[in-house]
Amino acid sequence: MNKNEYIPFLSEIKEIKKHTDIEYTFTFDYDGPVRPGQFFEVSLPKYGEAPISVSGIGEGTIDFTIRKIGKVTGEVFEQYIGDRLFLRGPYGNGFDVSDFRGGELVIVAGGTGLSPVRGVIEHFYENPSETSGLTVISGFKSPQDVLFKEDLARWPEQMKLIVTVDKAEGSCAYPEGLVTSYIPDLAVRDANTAKAIVVGPPIMMKFSVKALLDRGLKEENIWISQERKMCCGIGKCGHCKIGDSYVCLDGPVFNYTKGKELID
């Protein structure tokens, strides 16, 4: 008998990692198919549920990097290792790493947009022979907002990594500037075949994609995520509907040839 994907199931918190005062990564036990960029509904009785992207995939575990911004996520932050929450999913189509094997890949992420692409980065970090070149450009508002610092410290072993902040403070370890300022000088050998993933705030994605196109990348070789539009996960509430598309069903990951039409 197949599991009903609309029914929540209990999952235990295995680990909690603090990044900032309002952003933690919660590791849950989970044994099932899942792709980077997909999302689950995380819920607590009496408080509701919230759609959260998968930020890491382990052996029998999944990570959710959660920002404390509302009633549900605020209550999640009151939970501890060993506590159990309800999950349902995974939903959406996510990123298929096979789309990016064998060639050059550029990943541009803004703020928490690094979370849904972290699984892709980890895959190619562990399997560097599957790509002929990986560049990751990740931008944050300030040094205090930087996520996954341990990952950022080791990723340069297998890729070119650029981390930037909108506003540097004091003896900041990161350069000041926007992610788009690094795109014109990208060291890609063949812009016609290079592929890219762009995830972040809408205005950041707009100008990052434009810069990639100006650099010579093709529209069909760029993927974006509309994850901020996710809501119920099953196409019933209509919150994520843009034109004829439901982001929770047809996305949140879209090839740019389709994603460029999703103007909200």
Side-chain angles (χ1 to χ4, degrees):
M1 183 175 180
N2 293 330
K3 177 178 74 72
N4 188 329
E5 64 178 357
Y6 301 145
I7 298 178
F9 56 91
L10 279 170
S11 181
E12 182 179 328
I13 299 173
K14 311 300 288 186
E15 183 181 355
I16 301 173
K17 182 173 292 185
K18 178 179 178 179
H19 301 294
T20 73
D21 289 341
I22 61 169
E23 288 155 324
Y24 290 11
T25 290
F26 293 80
T27 299
F28 286 82
D29 66 7
Y30 175 76
D31 189 12
V34 62
R35 285 180 177 178
Q38 288 188 298
F39 67 98
F40 284 72
E41 297 286 344
V42 180
S43 63
L44 295 94
K46 299 190 298 182
Y47 291 94
E49 62 181 9
I52 307 293
S53 290
V54 173
S55 63
I57 303 169
E59 194 69 36
T61 64
I62 48 174
D63 292 346
F64 299 108
T65 300
I66 300 175
R67 174 177 285 180
K68 184 179 179 181
I69 55 171
K71 182 172 70 173
V72 178
T73 54
E75 186 61 26
V76 171
F77 271 58
E78 297 299 317
Q79 309 304 306
Y80 299 90
I81 293 173
D83 289 342
R84 297 196 298 170
L85 278 68
F86 283 99
L87 307 178
R88 61 178 175 90
Y91 298 125
N93 55 18
F95 295 103
D96 186 345
V97 295
S98 65
D99 287 332
F100 311 108
R101 287 193 179 109
E104 298 174 277
L105 174 61
V106 178
I107 296 177
V108 186
T112 55
L114 185 59
S115 297
V117 296
R118 179 172 174 248
V120 179
I121 298 171
E122 281 290 306
H123 175 85
F124 290 113
Y125 174 85
E126 298 291 343
N127 303 277
S129 63
E130 292 186 5
T131 175
S132 61
L134 173 58
T135 300
V136 176
I137 307 172
S138 186
F140 299 92
K141 286 184 178 180
S142 74
Q144 289 73 37
D145 296 306
V146 175
L147 304 176
F148 310 116
K149 290 181 180 178
E150 293 180 4
D151 296 334
L152 297 177
R154 62 183 173 83
W155 283 345
E157 298 168 4
Q158 301 292 357
M159 67 197 72
K160 180 176 176 58
L161 175 67
I162 299 168
V163 181
T164 182
V165 294
D166 294 350
K167 185 176 182 181
E169 301 170 4
S171 56
C172 179
Y174 309 107
E176 184 175 287
L178 302 177
V179 292
T180 49
S181 64
Y182 294 91
I183 296 175
D185 298 322
L186 278 174
V188 293
R189 289 184 291 277
D190 187 350
N192 285 318
T193 59
K195 297 180 178 180
I197 297 171
V198 181
V199 184
I203 194 69
M204 168 263 170
M205 290 199 295
K206 175 182 177 180
F207 286 102
S208 293
V209 169
K210 181 181 184 301
L212 288 166
L213 294 174
D214 290 343
R215 178 63 182 79
L217 273 71
K218 295 182 178 180
E219 287 188 353
E220 60 266 30
N221 287 336
I222 300 174
W223 282 258
I224 63 172
S225 176
Q226 295 276 12
E227 62 159 5
R228 75 182 189 87
K229 295 289 290 183
M230 302 179 310
C231 197
C232 74
I234 55 178
K236 298 300 183 184
C237 72
H239 176 82
C240 72
K241 192 171 188 292
I242 306 176
D244 295 328
S245 297
Y246 287 86
V247 172
C248 66
L249 299 179
D250 304 317
V253 174
F254 293 92
N255 184 271
Y256 184 67
T257 55
K258 174 63 177 178
K260 68 179 182 179
E261 302 171 1
L262 302 178
I263 301 173
D264 60 340

